[in-house]
Amino acid sequence: MSVGFIRDKLEIKFLILYIAARVSEPMPLAELQELTMCDDGIDYFDFAECLNDLVNTEHLRLADEQYCITPKGLRNSEICESSLPYSVRIRADKNIAAYHKMLLRRNQVQSRVVERENGSYTVMLYLRDDVDEIMELDLVVATEEMAKDLSERFKKNPEQIYSRVLNALYGEE
């Protein structure tokens, strides 16, 4: 069994604030938990207790099931971050960078499924970059299952689909 570098609940609170200060938008419990559990010295129950304490002391705010840091939490995070073990900060930074990459991807590639009046479904597919919308494609399909399947397939490789649409439109006549 591995030994963690986090030794007490105060360090868990420091880590939660460290993470919350570096994440670009409010985050749900599961994602905050995943980022926080980067050290073997942390268990779920201590994490949950520390998170609740941070909300009660107004270091974090909980709204619409999303956690975000408050100005008070940000000030205390800056003061206390050097108290975190260096290896934990490095691991947290690596996980936060991966989380930001996932958030960017989630904002760039989106889809929606909408039921139509006649019982069919519209799948709305969106591909964006940092500046503009690259593609918006609406497809009508017969079943909700087909719509959800197309939505998931699009999210896995939207660039390839975009390329294939361009190739189909610019293909030889």
Side-chain angles (χ1 to χ4, degrees), residues 44-109:
Y44 173 77
F45 298 106
D46 287 340
F47 161 77
E49 184 180 334
C50 291
L51 183 63
N52 188 49
D53 288 349
L54 289 170
V55 171
N56 289 338
T57 58
E58 298 180 349
H59 288 85
L60 294 177
R61 183 174 54 249
L62 174 61
D64 297 325
E65 298 183 19
Q66 305 271 323
Y67 292 88
C68 66
I69 196 160
T70 64
K72 177 181 179 180
L74 196 55
R75 279 191 310 276
N76 288 334
S77 173
E78 290 170 357
I79 293 167
C80 301
E81 72 182 40
S82 63
S83 299
L84 282 172
Y86 180 72
S87 62
V88 173
R89 281 185 299 182
I90 294 298
R91 199 170 313 141
D93 288 340
K94 179 182 168 202
N95 292 345
I96 292 165
Y99 182 75
H100 278 133
K101 187 175 179 181
M102 183 273 304
L103 284 179
L104 178 63
R105 183 70 173 176
R106 185 168 43 189
N107 288 330
Q108 291 177 335
V109 180

Side-chain angles (χ1 to χ4, degrees), residues 100 103-105 107-108 127-134:
H100 278 133
L103 284 179
L104 178 63
R105 183 70 173 176
N107 288 330
Q108 291 177 335
L127 179 61
R128 297 176 176 92
D129 64 9
D130 296 337
V131 178
D132 208 357
E133 191 164 291
I134 297 172

Side-chain angles (χ1 to χ4, degrees), residues 18-46:
Y18 182 85
I19 291 166
R22 285 158 179 73
V23 173
S24 59
E25 60 186 53
M27 57 193 316
L29 173 65
E31 292 175 1
L32 182 55
Q33 176 190 348
E34 185 177 327
L35 289 175
T36 304
M37 304 295 271
C38 65
D39 183 77
D40 292 333
I42 305 170
D43 70 34
Y44 173 77
F45 298 106
D46 287 340

